Amino acid sequence: MWGTLPENVGTFQDLDGLMEFITVVVGLWFLAAMAMIIGFSLMFKAKPGVKAQYIAGNTGKQVGVLLGIVAAITMFDFMIDIRNVPLWNTIKMQIPAEGDQVGVLAKQWTWVFTHKTKAGNVTTEMFNDAGEYSDSANGAPKLHVRTGTKTIYSLNSEDVLHSFKINALRVTMDIIPGRTYKGWFEAVKPGTYDLACAEICGRGHGDMAGRLVVHTPDDYDKWVKAKGVTKADSAPKGVVVAHNAAH
Amino acid sequence: MGSSHHEPTFTEKYIFPLDHKNIGLQYLLTAMFMACVGGFLAYVFRMKLAWADAPVPLVGDVDGGLYNSMVTMHGTVMIFWVAMPTLIAAFGNFLIPLMIGADDMAFPRLNRLSYQIFLLSAIILIASFFVPGGSASGAWTFYPPLNSSKIVDGVVEMHNGGVYWGGNLWILAVALEFASFLLGGINFMTTTLNLRTKGMGLFQMPMSLWMINIASLVFALSVGPLVAGAIMMLSDRMVGTGFFNPELGGDPVLFQHLFWFFGHPEVYVVLLPALGFFADIIPVFARKPFFGYRIVVYFTLFLGALSFIVWAHHQFQAGIDPRMANYFTITTIIISIPFGVMLFALILSLYGGSIRFTVPMLWAISGVAEFLVGGITGIHLGTSASDIYFHDNYFVVAHFHYTLFPATFFGAFAAITFWFPKWFGRHLNEGLGKLHWMLTVVFFNGIFIPLFITGLNGQHRRIYDYKAWDEMNTPAQHNLNVIATICLLGLLATQLVFLLNFFRSWASGPKATANPYNATTLEWAAASPPPHGNFDKVLTVYRGPHEYSVPGAKEDFSPQWIQ
Amino acid sequence: MSALTNDMRTATGVITRSNTGIPSSRLAMWFLLGGEVLIFGGLLVSYMMGRLAHPEWAEEAHHTATTIGFINAIILLTSDLFVVMAHADAQRKDGASAAKNIMITVALGLAFLVIKGFEYSHEISAGLTIHKSVFWAYYYLITGIHGSHIVVGIIALTLVARTAKRGEQLQRVETAGIYWHFVDMVWLIVFPLLYIAK
C-alpha cells in the first residue's frame, strides 16, 4: 500500500487493492471528521458576548443529518463487503486440486517441511534425525516452492497453536493441534522470503523463523535432484541457532 | 441506616467504606497503582524491542519467556485492572447516585464487597509475578493448549510436568475480578433503575449513566461463557481433563469462541463509559446540548446487541468455517454505523457552540479524535480478506491501542479533571493539566504511529527479538521501534506531572464551589465535596441533562433540579 | 416502612421509592440470574457442540444413572413446591411458617446432594472418572457446578429461614426462592442432556 507493504510476490494481488480501497474510504471519513473537529474548534471558540446556539439534534432536519451519515456509512460498508467476499472465497475456500503438495509441521519452536516431489518426499527441517543441521538459513528451516505452479500446503501442529505466515505472499493460517488445515498460494517471483509463526507459542516463539525459497521451475528441479540434503547450505550462526540448540 | 448521616471515621471512610464516593475512590487509587504496574511492564518489553542486545535497566536480561510474561501481564493489567475499575467502577460508583439524585447505591454493603473482591484479585495478580516459573506468559487471550497444559518455563509438558502456578493464579485473579464486576454491575443497574429521584426519567439521565449501565449489562451478559471456559481451563490445568486438549479428545478452538464471545463485548464495556464522559463534558464547555441524545442512546443499545454477534472476527485465520467468516465480516463492518453516529454526534455537539478549551474539554475533544483513528483502522481488521495480512501484526497492536488508550486514559483524564472539584472540593492546576495533556497526546501518537508503519511493513506480534527474520531485521524497522520506545519513556514520565497535580491539588488546591462550571446535571447540586448522604434535600428533575443556552432563559445553563 | 421497597435516606428524612415498581433485591436477583444463565449456557452449549462432534459420547452417556437423576429431579421439583409455600407465607407475614417450609426445602436440597454423592462414588468405583473421557469431564463439571449452586442455595435459604423465623426481612424469602427455582430449573435442563439423551 503505497510502498509500506512488502513486495507482493504471489498471486493474491487483489488483497493489496482491497487494503488500499479500505484505506482510501476510511481515510476520507477520517479527514472529514478531523476537518470538522478542528474547524468547529476554531470557528466556535468562546467569544465575549456571543451565546452558543441551542442545537439539540432533535429536529427532523438535524436527525436527518445523523441518518444521512448512517446511510453513507452503510453504503461504504456494503462496498467493502462486496469486494471482500469473492477475494476471501478465492483465497480460503477455492483450494485448487492440482499443484505441489507440501506438508507443514509446526512444533515448539521450529518447522518441518515435507515436499512431495517426483523424487519422493523431501523433508527440510532444522535438525535431521542425527541431530545435525539439515537445512538452515540463519538457523531457519526452508520451504521450497517454484513459480508457475500452485503450492497446496497442509498444516499440522505437534503441540500448541502456531500460525503459518508469509508476508510476501499475503498468507496467514493458524495451525491447530489435532486438525489439518489446507491452503494454497502461487509465488511468481524467485527469491528468499521470511516465514513466521504468528500465534504465541511459548518461550521460543520469537525464534520460530523459517524461510520461503521460491525457485524458477529449472532451479526447483535441480533442488529436487539434490533432494534438498543441504548440510553445507549454511553454517549455523548467530543467537537464534544457539537458542534453538539449547533444548 | 437512620434518617441522618453521621460523618464517617477514618476507617469507615478509607478502609471499609460504605459510602459510594469512598468506594469509588478506592477503585480509582487501586487502578492508578495498577496503571503504574502496567506502564512498567510496557517499559520492560518496549526497551527490549528497541535495544534487543542490551539488558533492560532495573530488570536485566529479558529472554523470550520473560518477554511473553510482560506482554501477557501488560494486557491483562491494563484491561481488567485499569480500564474497567477506572471507567466503570470508580466513576460508576461516584457518579451514579449523584447523577440520579440518590444518597447512595441500592446495596452499599454489596458495593463494599465488590471492591474487596476486586482488591483481592489485584493482590493475587501481583503475587503471581513472584511464584516459581513467573507469571502467566501465554498472552492475555490465554489460548489453549499452550495455557491449558502444565507448562514449565514456557515448554509444554502435557500432564506430567510440574505445576505452573503463574497461570493458575492468573485464572483465579481474573475470575475474582469478573465476580467483582458482575456484582458491581448488578448494583449499578439496580440503583439506576430504582433509585432515580422524582422526575428523573431514563431519558433525563446524563449520557455517562446510559453508557455505564449499557456497559454493565453487556458485561453481565457476555462474561458467563468465559467463566465457564475459565473453569474448564482450570480443570484442564489442575485436574488433567481434556476439554481443550486435542490429544484427549478436546477442542482448543472452543475456548477461542468462549473467550471472544466475552472479549469483543468487553472492548465496548471499556469504550462506552468513556464516550459517555465525553458526551457529558463537551456540552458543558461548548455551552450547548449534546447533539442527538435519543438517537445516540438507541444506536448504543443497537451496538450493545451487535457486540454479541461479531466475536469470530478475532478468529478469521483460526480455521473457522470460511463461510462463517463472511457472515462475521458483515456484522463486524456494521459496527461502524453506531460508532459513526456516536462520533459524529460528539463532533456535531461542537457546532454553534461557545467553546472553552479547559483541560477536561481538551481531553474530550482529543479523545474523540484519537478514538476515530482506532475506529477506522478496525475496518481493515474486520474485513476478513485484508485481515489475512494484518492477523497478529503490529497494525492490530496500534489499532486497539488507538481504541483502548483514548477510552481508558483520555476518558479517565477527562473524567478526573472534570469531576475533581466535585469529588475533592478543590481545583486542579490548569497549567500542569494542559502540559500533561499536550505531552500525553504527543507521546501517545509518537508511540503508535510508528507501530502502524512497522505493522504495514509486516512486523508480527509478541516477538522479543526480530533477528531471526531478515525482512524485519532492518535499520528502518529498528528506527521505528526506537522512536516508539523513546515516546513510551516520555509518556511514562509525563504521567508524573499528572500524579503531582492530582495529589498536590487534593491536599492543597484552591477550594471549589458547588457548581464551578455552571453545569446542569444533578451532581452539581450537591456540595463540593458531597457529604455523606450527598444532598441536603430530595431533588426534583424538571428537564434533560444538557440544557445549555436555552433560548429565552436568563442564564446560559438550565440545571435539571431548578424549575 | 415496608421492607419490600427502597428507602431513600436524606438529611431531611426517609422517602420510599422504587422507580420500576420492582423491589431492588428482586431486580438484582434477576440480573444475577441473567449472568448465571450465560454461565450455564456457555457450559451446556459447549457440551452440546462436543456431543454433536463426537457421536461416540452416546456410548459413554449410556452409563449415566437415569433413575437416580430422575429421583433427584423429583426431589428438586418437590422442593420448589415448598419454596412457593414459603413465599405465600411470607406474603401473609407468617414468618414462622415460611421458615418451616424453607427448612423442608433445605432438607430436600441436602437429600439431593447425598443422592448425588452416592451416584458419584458409584460411578467413580466403576471407573467412570473425570479422566475417562471429555464426556465424563463435562458430566462432572456440569453436575459439580450445579451442585455447588445447590450448596450456595442451601446456605442462603438457611440464613433466610433464621431471619424469617423472627418475622424479619421477609422479602428475602422471595429473593432466595427465585434463586432456588433457577437452580432447580437448571437441573431440569441438565438432566435430559446428560441422562436421557443416550
Side-chain angles (χ1 to χ4, degrees):
Chain A
M1 190 157 54
W2 306 295
T4 56
L5 300 177
E7 188 189 359
N8 188 339
V9 301
T11 52
F12 301 149
Q13 296 290 339
D14 290 350
L15 213 58
D16 295 20
L18 176 68
M19 286 190 253
E20 283 175 13
F21 176 70
I22 295 173
T23 308
V24 169
V25 168
V26 300
L28 289 175
W29 281 97
F30 175 71
L31 291 177
M34 284 307 284
M36 285 165 75
I37 293 175
I38 295 167
F40 294 165
S41 294
L42 296 174
M43 282 157 67
F44 300 107
K45 198 172 181 318
K47 294 176 201 75
V50 181
K51 239 182 129 178
Q53 302 164 38
Y54 184 87
I55 304 168
N58 53 4
T59 65
K61 204 171 128 198
Q62 290 161 1
V63 169
V65 170
L66 283 182
L67 294 182
I69 290 170
V70 168
I73 295 176
T74 310
M75 194 186 73
F76 282 111
D77 284 357
F78 183 68
M79 283 161 63
I80 291 170
D81 282 331
I82 55 168
R83 283 189 70 147
N84 175 64
V85 171
L87 191 53
W88 171 260
N89 292 353
T90 309
I91 297 173
K92 291 281 181 176
M93 289 169 75
Q94 290 154 16
I95 297 171
E98 298 282 306
D100 289 341
Q101 306 273 341
V102 293
V104 176
L105 178 69
K107 56 184 183 180
Q108 288 183 325
W109 292 285
T110 187
W111 305 90
V112 178
F113 301 115
T114 307
H115 309 75
K116 283 203 175 70
T117 68
K118 279 179 292 187
N121 284 354
V122 178
T123 300
T124 52
E125 58 185 314
M126 192 84 125
F127 304 96
N128 62 22
D129 290 340
E132 300 159 318
Y133 281 95
S134 65
D135 187 45
S136 67
N138 197 14
K142 289 187 202 162
L143 171 64
H144 296 266
V145 302
R146 56 181 157 174
T147 56
T149 308
K150 295 183 173 73
T151 301
I152 300 158
Y153 55 84
S154 61
L155 305 171
N156 285 287
S157 164
E158 201 174 277
D159 35 51
V160 298
L161 297 189
H162 299 280
S163 190
F164 178 70
K165 190 174 191 72
I166 304 171
N167 279 329
L169 289 173
R170 314 292 187 257
V171 163
T172 308
M173 187 75 200
D174 281 8
I175 311 174
I176 316 273
R179 298 184 183 193
T180 302
Y181 287 145
K182 274 180 183 279
W184 73 285
F185 58 78
E186 184 181 345
V188 294
K189 188 183 171 193
T192 302
Y193 308 99
D194 280 356
L195 183 158
C197 172
E199 199 67 71
I200 191 168
C201 58
R203 177 164 51 90
H205 176 54
D207 305 325
M208 200 166 154
R211 292 290 181 276
L212 172 78
V213 183
V214 181
H215 300 276
T216 59
D218 288 351
D219 284 351
Y220 185 79
D221 290 341
K222 275 184 218 154
W223 172 78
V224 170
K225 272 200 194 109
K227 286 207 172 180
V229 180
T230 52
K231 248 181 225 174
D233 199 342
S234 76
K237 62 182 179 191
V239 184
V240 178
V241 173
H243 240 296
N244 277 310
H247 72 277
Chain B
M1 284 286 167
S3 58
S4 68
H5 294 274
H6 76 102
E7 267 307 301
T9 62
F10 182 84
T11 314
E12 284 170 341
K13 193 165 176 183
Y14 294 110
I15 312 292
F16 300 114
L18 282 173
D19 189 306
H20 68 102
K21 301 181 287 296
N22 296 323
I23 293 173
L25 184 61
Q26 288 186 320
Y27 274 112
L28 186 64
L29 295 177
T30 312
M32 278 163 71
F33 171 75
M34 293 305 276
C36 297
V37 174
F40 179 75
L41 299 174
Y43 153 81
V44 177
F45 61 74
R46 275 312 319 172
M47 290 299 280
K48 177 70 183 173
L49 284 167
W51 298 286
D53 298 326
V56 175
L58 302 176
V59 179
D61 289 322
V62 175
D63 65 0
L66 184 60
Y67 180 86
N68 286 350
S69 161
M70 295 294 108
V71 172
T72 302
M73 297 305 276
H74 170 75
T76 309
V77 165
M78 286 301 192
I79 290 190
F80 294 128
W81 278 272
V82 178
M84 285 178 66
T86 314
L87 298 172
I88 301 194
F91 282 97
N93 263 303
F94 181 73
L95 294 177
I96 288 173
L98 281 169
M99 282 183 161
I100 61 174
D103 59 333
D104 207 322
M105 286 286 175
F107 307 105
R109 278 183 298 178
L110 185 69
N111 205 13
R112 183 174 63 184
L113 181 68
S114 303
Y115 173 74
Q116 287 164 346
I117 296 172
F118 172 75
L119 182 65
L120 180 66
S121 75
I123 292 169
I124 290 173
L125 192 79
I126 300 280
S128 79
F129 282 106
F130 304 104
V131 294
S135 63
S137 59
W140 83 283
T141 51
F142 227 68
Y143 279 0
L146 179 66
N147 288 295
S148 66
S149 319
K150 291 177 178 167
I151 298 174
V152 181
D153 195 18
V155 184
V156 174
E157 295 188 8
M158 298 280 187
H159 309 296
N160 50 14
V163 178
Y164 169 56
W165 273 102
N168 294 338
L169 292 180
W170 187 95
I171 296 175
L172 187 62
V174 170
L176 285 173
E177 204 261 5
F178 288 169
S180 160
F181 276 86
L182 191 56
L183 294 178
I186 289 169
N187 206 348
F188 290 174
M189 290 186 282
T190 309
T191 305
T192 309
L193 282 178
N194 263 2
L195 294 194
R196 280 168 287 132
T197 195
K198 219 162 74 186
M200 177 62 97
L202 289 176
F203 284 99
Q204 269 73 47
M205 294 198 309
M207 283 304 282
S208 301
L209 293 194
W210 270 110
M211 295 297 184
I212 288 172
N213 280 287
I214 294 172
S216 296
L217 184 65
V218 166
F219 180 82
L221 294 182
S222 66
V223 76
L226 186 58
V227 171
I231 296 168
M232 289 153 80
M233 179 77 90
L234 207 56
S235 162
D236 274 10
R237 294 174 63 96
M238 301 192 71
V239 183
T241 52
F243 291 111
F244 304 127
N245 185 344
E247 279 180 25
L248 300 177
D251 180 8
V253 179
L254 170 64
F255 181 84
Q256 299 184 8
H257 286 296
L258 297 175
F259 183 87
W260 287 114
F261 182 81
F262 161 77
H264 197 83
E266 165 69 13
V267 178
Y268 300 151
V269 169
V270 175
L271 296 179
L272 292 181
L275 291 175
F277 301 152
F278 296 159
D280 281 338
I281 291 169
I282 286 176
V284 175
F285 297 111
R287 309 310 289 172
K288 61 186 289 292
F290 176 56
F291 190 90
Y293 175 99
R294 269 177 188 261
I295 300 247
V296 170
V297 169
Y298 294 141
F299 272 97
T300 309
L301 291 168
F302 171 57
L303 176 73
L306 199 58
S307 72
F308 288 92
I309 52 166
V310 300
W311 79 89
H313 65 229
H314 296 267
Q315 302 161 255
F316 281 152
Q317 316 309 330
I320 60 168
D321 190 322
R323 285 163 299 182
M324 222 157 91
N326 283 332
Y327 160 77
F328 277 104
T329 293
I330 291 166
T331 56
T332 300
I333 303 288
I334 291 174
I335 294 171
S336 59
I337 295 169
F339 270 123
V341 169
M342 285 179 194
L343 290 180
F344 277 103
L346 286 162
I347 295 168
L348 287 169
S349 297
L350 298 171
Y351 182 85
S354 169
I355 302 171
R356 287 110 220 247
F357 292 98
T358 59
V359 177
M361 187 64 162
L362 290 171
W363 282 115
I365 295 177
S366 58
V368 172
E370 302 286 8
F371 177 70
L372 188 65
V373 179
I376 59 165
T377 51
I379 306 279
H380 291 85
L381 305 172
T383 308
S384 57
S386 77
D387 181 64
I388 295 172
Y389 183 74
F390 289 122
H391 175 71
D392 204 61
N393 177 294
Y394 262 79
F395 194 89
V396 180
V397 176
H399 155 72
F400 70 69
H401 279 92
Y402 264 102
T403 58
L404 290 171
F405 193 99
T408 308
F409 291 99
F410 286 56
F413 289 138
I416 291 170
T417 51
F418 182 68
W419 281 292
F420 193 91
K422 178 55 58 190
W423 203 328
F424 301 102
R426 291 176 187 277
H427 283 287
L428 286 163
N429 182 297
E430 189 86 1
L432 283 178
K434 282 185 174 156
L435 179 71
H436 171 236
W437 169 77
M438 204 172 69
L439 292 176
T440 301
V441 169
V442 168
F443 287 130
F444 165 66
N445 289 292
I447 297 170
F448 291 105
I449 290 173
L451 294 191
F452 268 127
I453 300 169
T454 61
L456 288 166
N457 291 346
Q459 184 170 305
H460 45 291
R461 290 172 70 186
R462 292 164 177 158
I463 302 293
Y464 70 107
D465 188 342
Y466 286 94
K467 282 201 200 63
W469 287 275
D470 295 335
E471 289 163 18
M472 295 299 107
N473 194 20
T474 62
Q477 287 291 92
H478 183 247
N479 290 343
L480 289 166
N481 277 314
V482 169
I483 293 169
T485 299
I486 289 171
C487 287
L488 174 83
L489 297 176
L491 184 71
L492 293 176
T494 301
Q495 303 320 307
L496 297 176
V497 177
F498 171 75
L499 292 176
L500 172 76
N501 195 3
F502 183 90
F503 287 107
R504 205 183 63 169
S505 302
W506 187 2
S508 61
K511 293 255 190 223
T513 57
N515 190 359
Y517 308 124
N518 290 338
T520 54
T521 44
L522 290 191
E523 74 271 27
W524 304 104
S528 295
H532 194 50
N534 293 345
F535 300 101
D536 52 6
K537 62 176 191 294
V538 177
L539 301 173
T540 305
V541 169
Y542 298 100
R543 58 184 69 77
H546 307 121
E547 294 296 295
Y548 293 95
S549 305
V550 180
K554 206 161 69 193
E555 306 268 9
D556 71 346
F557 68 111
S558 312
Q560 288 189 282
W561 66 92
I562 295 174
Q563 199 164 14
Chain C
M1 200 55 54
S2 165
L4 281 170
T5 47
N6 293 292
D7 301 344
M8 185 196 173
R9 303 161 294 269
T10 71
T12 51
V14 180
I15 63 159
T16 299
R17 193 163 27 84
S18 157
N19 305 68
T20 55
I22 305 168
S24 289
S25 55
R26 197 200 297 165
L27 195 59
M29 182 51 76
W30 285 122
F31 280 127
L32 180 68
L33 294 186
E36 290 266 22
V37 164
L38 269 291
I39 295 178
F40 281 104
L43 268 176
L44 292 173
V45 170
S46 298
Y47 162 72
M48 285 189 276
M49 297 304 281
R51 184 81 190 256
L52 290 174
H54 299 272
E56 69 274 15
W57 287 8
E59 179 53 36
E60 309 267 10
H62 257 310
H63 300 287
T64 51
T66 313
T67 319
I68 297 180
F70 182 69
I71 291 170
N72 261 343
I74 296 294
I75 287 177
L76 289 186
L77 278 175
T78 314
S79 75
D80 274 339
L81 185 67
F82 287 96
V83 168
V84 172
M85 281 156 58
H87 181 211
D89 293 336
Q91 283 191 321
R92 286 199 313 273
K93 309 264 182 252
D94 185 352
S97 174
K100 202 182 76 194
N101 281 321
I102 290 172
M103 288 321 288
I104 294 171
T105 308
V106 167
L108 288 167
L110 286 170
F112 174 93
L113 289 178
V114 170
I115 291 170
K116 193 79 208 138
F118 275 116
E119 191 189 348
Y120 278 155
S121 64
H122 182 73
E123 281 154 355
I124 290 167
S125 60
L128 306 169
T129 64
I130 195 166
H131 295 286
K132 185 167 180 290
S133 75
V134 178
F135 172 83
W136 287 99
Y138 271 117
Y139 168 82
Y140 283 102
L141 200 70
I142 292 171
T143 55
I145 291 175
H146 176 261
S148 67
H149 279 74
I150 294 273
V151 172
V152 171
I154 286 174
I155 294 168
L157 285 172
T158 310
L159 294 175
V160 168
R162 278 179 50 180
T163 50
K165 205 171 175 179
R166 298 194 296 267
E168 296 163 8
Q169 306 272 17
L170 286 177
Q171 85 283 4
R172 288 183 176 176
V173 174
E174 189 200 12
T175 313
I178 293 172
Y179 177 82
W180 188 260
H181 284 310
F182 168 78
V183 176
D184 295 353
M185 222 165 59
V186 170
W187 184 255
L188 295 183
I189 296 166
V190 168
F191 172 63
L193 283 177
L194 287 176
Y195 290 81
I196 296 180
K198 302 277 189 197

